[in-house]
Amino acid sequence: MAEQTAIFVEALNYAAEGCMSDVEAYADCVTKNRKTWYKDCDQYKNNLDRCASQSPIINAIKIECSEGYKLCLRDNPANLLACNKELQAFADCAKDIVRKAKTEGELNFRPNSLQLYDISII
């Protein structure tokens, strides 16, 4: 469980630039509602989505990194531990995007994908 939490925190740190209070509120809700987070934390998720939609880095992470983790969570809503592999892949992908954005400059950074649909960070 500690490894899952550490990976989760690491992923959020890379995905959260500019939206830390929303990330913390959502993470706190998920932690407090481990078995029912997927229905009890919608308000916090929506707040985070609103904030995240304003960041090119977060949008890139959502498009490029989150689909596998999102699908795993959908398939295992009451068992977050089942998604450790997908969460680690999300964290690694987010780190790569942040590194690239810092190298190229955030304002010039665009995701590689042209997908336009909303993908939740977590």
Side-chain angles (χ1 to χ4, degrees):
M1 184 61 116
E3 180 183 346
Q4 166 93 20
T5 301
I7 294 170
F8 184 68
V9 169
E10 182 180 14
L12 289 176
N13 284 339
Y14 284 101
E17 288 192 22
C19 300
M20 189 51 76
S21 63
D22 293 310
V23 169
E24 288 172 351
Y26 184 48
D28 186 51
C29 182
V30 170
T31 300
K32 290 178 180 175
N33 299 284
R34 292 203 180 267
K35 296 198 184 276
T36 59
W37 66 270
Y38 52 93
K39 61 182 178 183
D40 291 337
C41 300
D42 265 355
Q43 172 189 347
Y44 300 104
K45 179 188 171 299
N46 292 336
N47 291 343
L48 179 56
D49 284 345
R50 263 192 302 282
C51 179
S53 69
Q54 299 173 20
S55 167
I57 291 175
I58 293 176
N59 284 328
I61 290 169
K62 287 170 67 174
I63 291 167
E64 298 294 327
C65 305
S66 66
E67 189 165 1
Y69 187 54
K70 180 182 176 182
L71 292 173
C72 184
L73 291 176
R74 184 198 67 203
D75 294 343
N76 301 283
N79 183 8
L80 296 177
L81 295 176
C83 300
N84 274 346
K85 181 179 80 173
E86 291 82 358
L87 182 57
Q88 183 62 57
F90 170 81
D92 292 343
C93 179
K95 283 184 214 177
D96 290 343
I97 285 176
V98 169
R99 274 190 222 113
K100 183 176 180 181
K102 287 180 179 178
T103 299
E104 296 180 6
E106 182 177 353
L107 295 177
N108 297 324
F109 182 75
R110 299 288 182 263
N112 295 328
S113 174
L114 296 177
Q115 296 169 328
L116 299 177
Y117 52 87
D118 181 39
I119 301 174
S120 298
I121 293 176
I122 49 177

